[in-house]
Amino acid sequence: MNLLFLLATLGFQIANKPVYAHNATYNNPIIPGWHSDPSCTFVSEWNNTFFCTTSSFLAFPGCPVFASTDLVHWDLISNALNHPAQLPQIQTSTNAQTLGIFASTLRFRNGTFYLLTAWLDTDNPSTEFVLFTTTDPFDESAWTNAFQIQNPSGAIDPDLFWDDDGSVIMAFSGSPIKASYIDLATGNASEPFDMWNGTGYNNQEGPHLYKKDGYYYLLIAEGGTELHHSSTIARSKSIKGPWESSPHNPFVSARYTDRYFQTVGHSDLFQDAEGNWWGIALATRAGPALYNESIYPMGRETVLYPVSWPKGDWPLADQVMGEMSGPLPPRSSKAHSVPTFMGEPDIVDFVPGSSIPTHWVFWRAPAKPESFTISPPGHPNTLQLIASRANLTGDASFKALDGLTLLARRQTNTLFEFSVDVHPGFYKAQGDEIGVTAFLHQDHHIDLGLVFMGGSPNSKGRVNFRCRATDSDATNFTVPSPVVTPVPSSWLSETIRLYIRAENDTHYQLSAAPAARPHESRLLAAFTGALISGPDVFTGNLLGVYATTNGGNHTMEGYVSRWRYTPIAQQIDYNDFVRSWEL
Ligand SMILES: *[C@@H]1O[C@H](CO)[C@@H](O)[C@H](O)[C@H]1NC(C)=O
Ligand SMILES: *[C@@H]1O[C@H](CO)[C@@H](O)[C@H](O)[C@H]1NC(C)=O
Ligand SMILES: *[C@@H]1O[C@H](CO)[C@@H](O)[C@H](O)[C@H]1NC(C)=O
Ligand SMILES: *[C@@H]1O[C@H](CO)[C@@H](O)[C@H](O)[C@H]1NC(C)=O
Ligand SMILES: *[C@@H]1O[C@H](CO)[C@@H](O)[C@H](O)[C@H]1NC(C)=O
Ligand SMILES: *[C@@H]1O[C@H](CO)[C@@H](O)[C@H](O)[C@H]1NC(C)=O
Ligand SMILES: *[C@@H]1O[C@H](CO)[C@@H](O)[C@H](O)[C@H]1NC(C)=O
Ligand SMILES: *[C@@H]1O[C@H](CO)[C@@H](O)[C@H](O)[C@H]1NC(C)=O
Ligand SMILES: *[C@@H]1O[C@H](CO)[C@@H](O)[C@H](O)[C@H]1NC(C)=O
Ligand SMILES: *[C@@H]1O[C@H](CO)[C@@H](O)[C@H](O)[C@H]1NC(C)=O
């Protein structure tokens, strides 16, 4: 525990005399890896379960829904957006890398879960509000198609709030924050009315409304999603205002601090079964170059903090740290059978009859689903990839419907090892490539590919390891040149294991070995995580496999197997790493 944390905790205790009985400690982030803009709700009707959703941009399946009974162990229970017919644009959107599904609000009302979100595209209309609902969030197929709700001022970040008289109010981003009454049956929205300007920072967004002790409370994000980010809160006796700003604002923020967890903001609040209040927010583990925001490949993650909210008074939050303490609900036995525990490693062998794990993602809904086949006839325990013409970057003529053969999962630990075996003999023509990638989006990725240079695959130098980085906006450093290494001739007919591992919190190592003799592993290159970080990038690092002909129009398929993602450690403060998982 560091001094700052101690001081913050002591200061808070003196000011508020909290009366929690059974505190326990926990570590942030609670949902690690790229999980931004969280919105959560507590549902007593579902065995006192907490449910959260986070932004997914172009990752598909999208709108992930997580469940927990103890606020610390989270399971991915479904993806609300899980087949393209629900929102066809998720398959055809071409140019926008950090558009797509933005921040959502998740609420439960009278038996139904509501996930209201924004879809952003470069086409018209550029921003739609879309609603997914279900009566069983554990059943992925039960989520409805996207239902459009009017977006009266082209805003983002729609909220969903039911007033005591049953009317439905949707607040959304704006300067000032605005709201409309909406009709959930027709999707109609009333003429918006102004709410609150916030406390003087830019990008007022991410509003959520609550009603408590005769007041409406309006919680918003301010300052942009970077170092000045924050959550601030105001209240009013009337939904139409005037709004009074909390004397304790910002409610949560890390701006102007040197805390390890930066960019804290975009919060939501909920109560547990005992009535304790909790807040969640996004935060960035900024790494050593904090103020320069230069290395944070996991992007914005979900963090938890306790809130004290005495009757009639303002809510007060504990500021976000890596190690925190609060009145956590006890860890109960799982109320449901849950497919994916967020902290577990991936041990995926593509056994016949299995499916692609629900926490893996494509970049956009795959235009050619047949490009990904588990254990096709004659190739048990493999994933068959049919190469896309486009490589991961694509070129000017790239169209989403051409397809991108990429399948990935989030980097969820500061230190990890990821490896996939690539079977030999996929080469047909010059440029054919199968590899592993650390992928932020199409303009930011680090690839380790097995690339065929044409000619006879068995002659020296015809099959190479190519380590190559793409960073469209590297302003503070030079993108390293590709590192091309011939595959040793004794490995040529063998299955090759390709590795990406985090050497430390700033650097990624790319290496390879014959799958049968991993001890022969060779380090091929090390690249900085700055290549897959960036102030204008809203996504976070994905680790996956890809196959491309690099522009060739022929058909090329290859086989990969033995997918492993091994969590090693989580960094929770400067010089403080915790072991990633225990079972
Ligand atoms: C609550 O848990 C019980 C026992 O695990 C289970 O049978 C029941 O279906 C759950 N109810 C809901 C609403 O999830
Ligand atoms: C709650 O849902 C039930 C069943 O769908 C419906 O009959 C009832 O009208 C709903 N109540 C409210 C207040 O919406
Ligand atoms: C509201 O919905 C109805 C159809 O249910 C439609 O006729 C009407 O034009 C809509 N109003 C607005 C303001 O869009
Ligand atoms: C927000 O600020 C603008 C500019 O100062 C002002 O004109 C407007 O009345 C304010 N709106 C609200 C709702 O406070
Ligand atoms: C930020 O970058 C500048 C130059 O690019 C460097 O001098 C400075 O030390 C960096 N600050 C931090 C906190 O990394
Ligand atoms: C480069 O560094 C400056 C400050 O030194 C910072 O404002 C900017 O965001 C950095 N750019 C990238 C792409 O990291
Ligand atoms: C329990 O945690 C809360 C929230 O951090 C804190 O304010 C309170 O002092 C703690 N209570 C005890 C008994 O440690
Ligand atoms: C991807 O393909 C484009 C166009 O063919 C090419 O310019 C670029 O170098 C390739 N990039 C990667 C990372 O493969
Ligand atoms: C991380 O690894 C890189 C590459 O080996 C090295 O240059 C850097 O000093 C390391 N950083 C730390 C904090 O150990
Ligand atoms: C592939 O086909 C396209 C469109 O027919 C053509 O423009 C392109 O030159 C072809 N590429 C190669 C490598 O032949």
Side-chain angles (χ1 to χ4, degrees):
M1 197 190 290
N2 71 24
L3 187 62
L4 261 178
F5 176 73
L6 207 67
L7 289 176
T9 310
L10 286 175
F12 183 84
Q13 285 175 344
I14 291 160
N16 295 289
K17 298 189 177 60
V19 287
Y20 297 127
H22 51 77
N23 277 358
T25 59
Y26 65 94
N27 291 334
N28 276 319
I30 51 158
I31 307 181
W34 165 42
H35 294 107
S36 57
D37 313 308
S39 173
C40 305
T41 193
F42 170 73
V43 183
S44 57
E45 293 90 331
W46 279 78
N47 290 334
N48 290 337
T49 302
F50 303 92
F51 295 90
C52 291
T53 188
T54 55
S55 300
S56 51
F57 298 88
L58 285 187
F60 179 89
C63 301
V65 178
F66 303 94
S68 175
T69 52
D70 62 9
L71 289 170
V72 172
H73 299 87
W74 291 87
D75 300 300
L76 176 65
I77 56 162
S78 63
N79 294 285
L81 174 55
N82 56 70
H83 58 277
Q86 289 174 286
L87 184 74
Q89 302 93 305
I90 189 70
Q91 197 167 39
T92 55
S93 173
T94 297
N95 296 318
Q97 294 297 326
T98 50
L99 300 184
I101 295 285
F102 267 43
S104 313
T105 295
L106 183 65
R107 294 292 183 258
F108 175 82
R109 169 97 176 164
N110 190 27
T112 297
F113 289 81
Y114 295 80
L115 195 159
L116 178 59
T117 192
W119 167 261
L120 275 74
D121 206 342
T122 45
D123 301 335
N124 281 322
S126 57
T127 306
E128 296 172 57
F129 287 162
V130 292
L131 175 67
F132 300 95
T133 62
T134 186
T135 52
D136 183 359
F138 289 83
D139 176 2
E140 191 153 274
S141 68
W143 286 98
T144 59
N145 288 350
F147 176 68
Q148 198 167 337
I149 306 284
Q150 276 186 350
N151 182 357
S153 52
I156 56 169
D157 299 358
D159 182 45
L160 200 49
F161 171 76
W162 281 264
D163 211 341
D164 296 336
D165 61 3
S167 60
V168 188
I169 297 161
M170 175 178 73
F172 42 82
S173 69
S175 181
I177 294 280
K178 297 178 178 42
S180 290
Y181 284 90
I182 58 171
D183 179 342
L184 286 171
T186 64
N188 275 2
S190 74
E191 195 57 35
F193 56 91
D194 286 352
M195 298 186 95
W196 184 45
N197 273 319
T199 63
Y201 284 79
N202 56 303
N203 290 66
Q204 299 96 316
E205 56 196 18
H208 292 301
L209 278 166
Y210 314 92
K211 199 169 191 180
K212 185 175 183 293
D213 311 326
Y215 286 99
Y216 295 92
Y217 284 85
L218 174 61
L219 178 69
I220 72 168
E222 277 188 82
T225 194
E226 294 154 16
L227 293 181
H228 286 169
H229 204 209
S230 63
S231 290
T232 55
I233 194 161
R235 73 182 181 187
S236 171
K237 293 271 186 194
S238 159
I239 193 76
K240 297 283 174 75
W243 294 90
E244 179 196 357
S245 179
S246 166
H248 310 293
N249 278 331
F251 178 64
V252 285
S253 183
R255 68 179 166 227
Y256 315 133
T257 73
D258 62 358
R259 289 181 208 136
Y260 181 64
F261 282 77
Q262 287 289 313
T263 79
V264 174
H266 203 119
S267 295
D268 200 357
L269 298 172
F270 50 88
Q271 270 176 297
D272 65 22
E274 287 190 340
N276 303 301
W277 282 90
W278 294 91
I280 40 90
L282 70 78
T284 309
R285 287 184 280 171
L290 188 65
Y291 291 109
N292 290 344
E293 286 195 279
S294 57
I295 304 183
Y296 43 94
M298 284 183 284
R300 301 166 305 154
E301 309 175 276
T302 295
V303 293
L304 175 77
Y305 51 90
V307 170
S308 85
W309 201 346
K311 190 164 199 278
D313 210 340
W314 293 99
L316 278 167
D318 284 12
Q319 296 302 312
V320 171
M321 299 290 179
E323 185 184 293
M324 299 196 71
S325 159
L328 291 175
R331 187 176 184 185
S332 66
S333 58
K334 289 177 178 172
H336 301 270
S337 77
V338 279
T340 312
F341 172 49
M342 281 303 298
E344 276 174 13
D346 274 351
I347 301 173
V348 180
D349 288 316
F350 306 106
V351 299
S354 61
S355 334
I356 290 171
T358 54
H359 63 290
W360 292 11
V361 293
F362 305 93
W363 200 240
R364 306 178 192 86
K368 295 172 177 163
E370 67 277 13
S371 298
F372 308 89
T373 307
I374 290 179
S375 288
H379 299 271
N381 305 311
T382 68
L383 172 69
Q384 182 194 57
L385 298 173
I386 300 179
S388 45
R389 189 187 62 80
N391 61 29
L392 291 179
T393 308
D395 55 21
S397 71
F398 174 73
K399 296 278 178 294
L401 285 172
D402 298 343
L404 194 62
T405 301
L406 166 68
L407 185 53
R409 58 154 288 144
R410 285 166 172 82
Q411 176 189 343
T412 48
N413 306 81
T414 316
L415 303 185
F416 68 90
E417 181 177 278
F418 173 67
S419 72
V420 174
D421 290 358
V422 180
H423 295 222
F426 61 83
Y427 336 104
K428 287 216 176 72
Q430 180 168 344
D432 284 357
E433 176 173 0
I434 294 184
V436 292
T437 183
F439 181 92
L440 213 54
H441 64 53
Q442 288 187 256
D443 301 327
H444 278 271
H445 47 101
I446 298 171
D447 313 327
L448 161 55
L450 268 170
V451 191
F452 180 48
M453 299 303 191
S456 161
N458 290 324
S459 44
K460 189 166 162 46
R462 302 322 292 170
V463 183
N464 290 280
F465 295 115
R466 182 169 62 197
C467 302
R468 182 152 74 160
T470 301
D471 182 346
S472 61
D473 50 11
T475 47
N476 296 337
F477 57 92
T478 315
V479 177
S481 305
V483 178
V484 178
T485 313
V487 174
S489 42
S490 62
W491 299 8
L492 275 174
S493 58
E494 296 190 75
T495 295
I496 304 284
R497 185 161 301 161
L498 300 179
Y499 298 88
I500 301 178
R501 66 168 80 79
E503 173 183 1
N504 56 34
D505 62 330
T506 61
H507 281 73
Y508 291 84
Q509 288 183 338
L510 307 176
S511 50
R517 298 182 307 285
H519 59 275
E520 288 182 26
S521 168
R522 295 188 186 186
L523 177 64
L524 300 167
F527 284 151
T528 168
L531 292 158
I532 46 170
S533 310
D536 301 320
V537 177
F538 297 150
T539 58
N541 190 29
L542 303 172
L543 297 159
V545 292
Y546 64 93
T548 175
T549 59
N550 275 301
N553 290 320
H554 58 286
T555 301
M556 183 271 276
E557 75 278 335
Y559 299 87
V560 300
S561 60
R562 195 186 180 277
W563 169 302
R564 298 290 183 270
Y565 172 86
T566 309
I568 295 171
Q570 210 62 283
Q571 186 165 6
I572 61 164
D573 206 340
Y574 301 107
N575 308 315
D576 192 0
F577 285 78
V578 294
R579 204 158 43 110
S580 275
W581 72 295
E582 57 225 297
L583 267 186

